[in-house]
Amino acid sequence: MGLLTSWGDPKISRHLLREEGEVIVDEVRHHWVAYLRPCLEGLLGLAAVVAVPFVHVDIGWLFLLVALVLGLRAAWGILRERRDRFVITNMRVFRVHGVLSTHLATMPLSRILDISVVRPLHGRVLGFGHFCFESAAQEQGLRDIRYVGRPDERDLAIQRVVQRSGLRGPRVVN
């Protein structure tokens, strides 16, 4: 489990501007629904392994190959979802994702024009939604953030941070 934990951690703290007083308001991991597909692939791979003793010897290798491919896809999918983080700080929002190479997309709070929260029916039932950020520059890596747990609370957290920073309307003091 230690290897998965170390590979699965994108080390968010190294992307913070600590000298400027940046602190994390919320670190958003994917909702558990995002892991369903990789887990189902892993279960299908396991079923293929279990089926090997019951098939003809000449095609047993095919079941093992299918199990290996499905197992690798499942591990990759789980690792990909685990390393994808969306972070809200007191200065900006950013997303870190990627397994072999890391991608970082940042947007200062002042550039956020609008946030749409999309909650499909199954998302409302299971407690997740998707964010769609609108900014002055449309070509950024923060346009769509999918499978966000408790999206309404997180939207309010972003709105609070924007309000407290004095970017929109009068500054609110705690």
Side-chain angles (χ1 to χ4, degrees), residues 17-51:
L17 305 169
R18 297 248 186 236
E19 297 81 27
E20 282 74 32
E22 185 175 36
V23 294
I24 294 175
V25 174
D26 193 7
E27 182 178 338
V28 181
R29 293 177 166 97
H30 279 288
H31 190 269
W32 63 265
V33 169
Y35 294 92
L36 281 179
R37 184 179 195 161
C39 287
L40 288 175
E41 289 175 351
L43 287 174
L44 283 173
L46 185 61
V49 167
V50 170

Side-chain angles (χ1 to χ4, degrees), residues 91-151:
M91 302 171 127
R92 61 188 170 139
V93 293
F94 65 90
R95 179 181 179 206
V96 178
H97 63 100
V99 176
L100 297 178
S101 60
T102 301
H103 304 274
L104 174 68
T106 300
M107 185 185 311
L109 294 175
S110 60
R111 299 231 359 235
I112 298 173
L113 298 177
D114 186 36
I115 303 171
S116 298
V117 179
V118 179
R119 295 192 65 193
L121 178 60
H122 66 291
R124 289 176 49 201
V125 170
L126 298 173
F128 72 89
H130 313 298
F131 282 167
C132 182
F133 286 90
E134 300 293 334
S135 74
Q138 289 302 315
E139 295 300 322
Q140 80 272 348
L142 277 172
R143 176 143 171 82
D144 295 310
I145 307 295
R146 301 182 52 76
Y147 299 107
V148 175
R150 303 183 332 264

Side-chain angles (χ1 to χ4, degrees), residues 43-102:
L43 287 174
L44 283 173
L46 185 61
V49 167
V50 170
V52 168
F54 302 104
V55 297
H56 195 271
V57 150
D58 293 337
I59 62 168
W61 67 270
L62 181 62
F63 280 76
L64 289 176
L65 181 64
V66 167
L68 177 67
V69 168
L70 287 172
L72 288 174
R73 278 185 53 92
W76 185 266
I78 288 170
L79 195 56
R80 181 189 64 233
E81 297 300 333
R82 189 163 162 77
R83 290 189 51 85
D84 191 352
R85 303 285 170 82
F86 173 66
V87 181
I88 305 164
T89 74
N90 59 331
M91 302 171 127
R92 61 188 170 139
V93 293
F94 65 90
R95 179 181 179 206
V96 178
H97 63 100
V99 176
L100 297 178
S101 60
T102 301

